[in-house]
Amino acid sequence: LPVLCVAAFEGHVIFIKHAFLPMLLSAAVDTVWIDFDTFIVKDPTPGIIAARDGPPRVLPQRDRVRFGSFLFDNTTDMCSLTKICDPRQQWAFNISSTTPDSEHDDDGVEVLVTEHWDARCLNNGLFYARATHRSLVFFTLFLRQIYINPYTDNQNLFDSFLAHSSVDSAVPDSRPVLRYALLDIEQHFACAEGHLNKEPAGHKNGILTFHFWASDFRTREASKETPEAEASDSARIVTRDGIERVEKPRASKSELFELFFGDKAQEEYAQGGVPAAGAAFIEQARAPKPNWKGMCAVTAVGVEDLV
């Protein structure tokens, strides 16, 4: 297949990432975006269609609880996620828009997107946008806000536009409140930070995509499934709340590109299989579900190194 490239707008790669969405949506073309640092283990199309047509939950929930600029489903959700349980620090919040719902809407899912493995914030390294008039208006406004707000992080803003976990003053009141659902990051749309799928890469029930994203944290929570090589007492860190952590497998983006797209990897892939070194890293990345999830905060990158 031919590879088509486009120059970044004054070096603004993220702007170009979203620049063509309004054109595609206005042409009635459903669109899937997959970041370049993603290995497609198997064709994700059936999984995306299944998630769109049979989502376990359609979002956003309109009536929410707000703490600062963060949103939660209810007081229990806020307390369990952040450990902040004082009712004086929260208030009721309703998700609204000055753009009314249309009688022509069919109540179907308009966007699919992933969350971060260890954070409630959305990760738009992979998302699906259904071609509707509402999504066209949504992404046109989104593109405009990225252009006029160069210091607005596109990922956090994407989260706020969908009213997922945060609010942002850069979100215009006129943006339609799209119906969206989360892609399954535990079993199908995995990342280097963690996943739960026990099947080998390439298995019919294995993961579909593997995003090279991982946080800067050097440890992850331990469980009974933690490999014995990592489970020795000397390798464990016990936090004040009793949670045990172990060093997690780490690799830089360049190392992961070599594992999955290097010359040797391409030879193995051409023979019809997932590169062996890449498959081994996918297995190493399997981890227990985190007991605590952070919120949208780009400034948190590298915080463990700072501490």
Side-chain angles (χ1 to χ4, degrees):
L1 295 176
V3 177
L4 304 179
C5 299
V6 62
F9 178 77
E10 296 181 354
H12 201 333
V13 177
I14 297 302
F15 181 80
I16 292 299
K17 172 176 178 175
H18 302 282
F20 294 96
L21 278 169
M23 288 182 279
L24 293 168
L25 296 174
S26 65
V29 177
D30 288 7
T31 304
V32 174
W33 173 273
I34 301 178
D35 272 5
F36 192 69
D37 60 338
T38 301
F39 183 77
I40 300 177
V41 182
K42 297 190 301 180
D43 180 8
T45 305
I48 290 173
I49 293 175
R52 179 197 65 187
D53 296 344
R57 183 186 183 194
V58 178
L59 301 165
Q61 177 180 312
R62 294 295 187 106
D63 295 323
R64 309 285 286 281
V65 168
R66 179 175 173 179
F67 167 70
S69 60
F70 302 131
L71 298 175
F72 304 90
D73 290 348
N74 48 51
T75 55
T76 301
D77 179 48
M78 175 179 163
C79 182
S80 62
L81 189 68
T82 67
K83 314 308 178 188
I84 298 174
C85 307
D86 188 339
R88 294 172 298 178
Q89 295 182 286
Q90 57 190 252
W91 64 94
F93 188 80
N94 181 263
I95 308 301
S96 61
S97 169
T98 57
T99 300
D101 294 336
S102 170
E103 61 181 8
H104 301 294
D105 293 340
D106 61 5
D107 295 327
V109 169
E110 296 162 295
V111 169
L112 296 170
V113 65
T114 60
E115 268 188 343
H116 283 88
W117 173 256
D118 59 351
R120 177 67 64 86
C121 188
L122 293 179
N123 183 332
N124 64 359
L126 191 157
F127 66 89
Y128 159 87
R130 182 172 159 223
T132 69
H133 68 286
R134 284 160 42 86
S135 60
L136 173 58
V137 173
F138 179 96
F139 281 102
T140 301
L141 290 173
F142 182 76
L143 184 64
R144 176 183 182 274
Q145 292 305 103
I146 291 178
Y147 180 79
I148 66 176
N149 293 276
Y151 296 107
T152 298
D153 177 73
N154 91 99
Q155 200 150 253
N156 291 1
L157 189 61
F158 196 94
D159 183 290
S160 296
F161 255 69
L162 288 173
H164 181 64
S165 71
S166 63
V167 294
D168 193 306
S169 60
V171 177
D173 293 336
S174 59
R175 67 87 170 82
V177 180
L178 297 189
R179 293 177 296 275
Y180 71 98
L182 298 177
L183 292 167
D184 185 354
I185 60 173
E186 296 180 0
Q187 298 292 337
H188 298 137
F189 300 92
C191 72
E193 184 67 18
H195 65 89
L196 296 180
N197 196 303
K198 296 181 179 180
E199 301 295 347
H203 188 276
K204 66 177 182 179
N205 296 323
I207 65 172
L208 301 176
T209 62
F210 187 71
H211 190 188
F212 296 169
W213 183 89
S215 72
D216 287 346
F217 287 93
R218 301 189 180 195
T219 62
R220 62 173 172 81
E221 292 177 28
S223 74
K224 295 179 180 179
E225 299 177 1
T226 300
E228 290 184 1
E230 297 179 352
S232 65
D233 292 339
S234 61
R236 287 178 179 261
I237 301 171
V238 182
T239 61
R240 276 182 283 184
D241 55 6
I243 296 176
E244 297 184 348
R245 300 182 66 87
V246 296
E247 185 175 2
K248 73 179 183 183
R250 289 165 57 88
S252 66
K253 287 284 183 73
S254 61
E255 290 170 336
L256 288 173
F257 268 99
E258 185 63 28
L259 287 181
F260 287 92
F261 297 113
D263 292 339
K264 182 178 180 181
Q266 289 301 299
E267 292 176 4
E268 296 180 53
Y269 191 71
Q271 297 173 3
V274 178
F281 188 86
I282 290 175
E283 169 61 22
Q284 289 178 330
R286 184 162 55 86
K289 293 176 65 174
N291 289 320
W292 178 89
K293 284 195 170 190
M295 306 299 288
C296 282
V298 172
T299 53
V301 174
V303 68
E304 191 172 65
D305 288 335
L306 292 175
V307 172

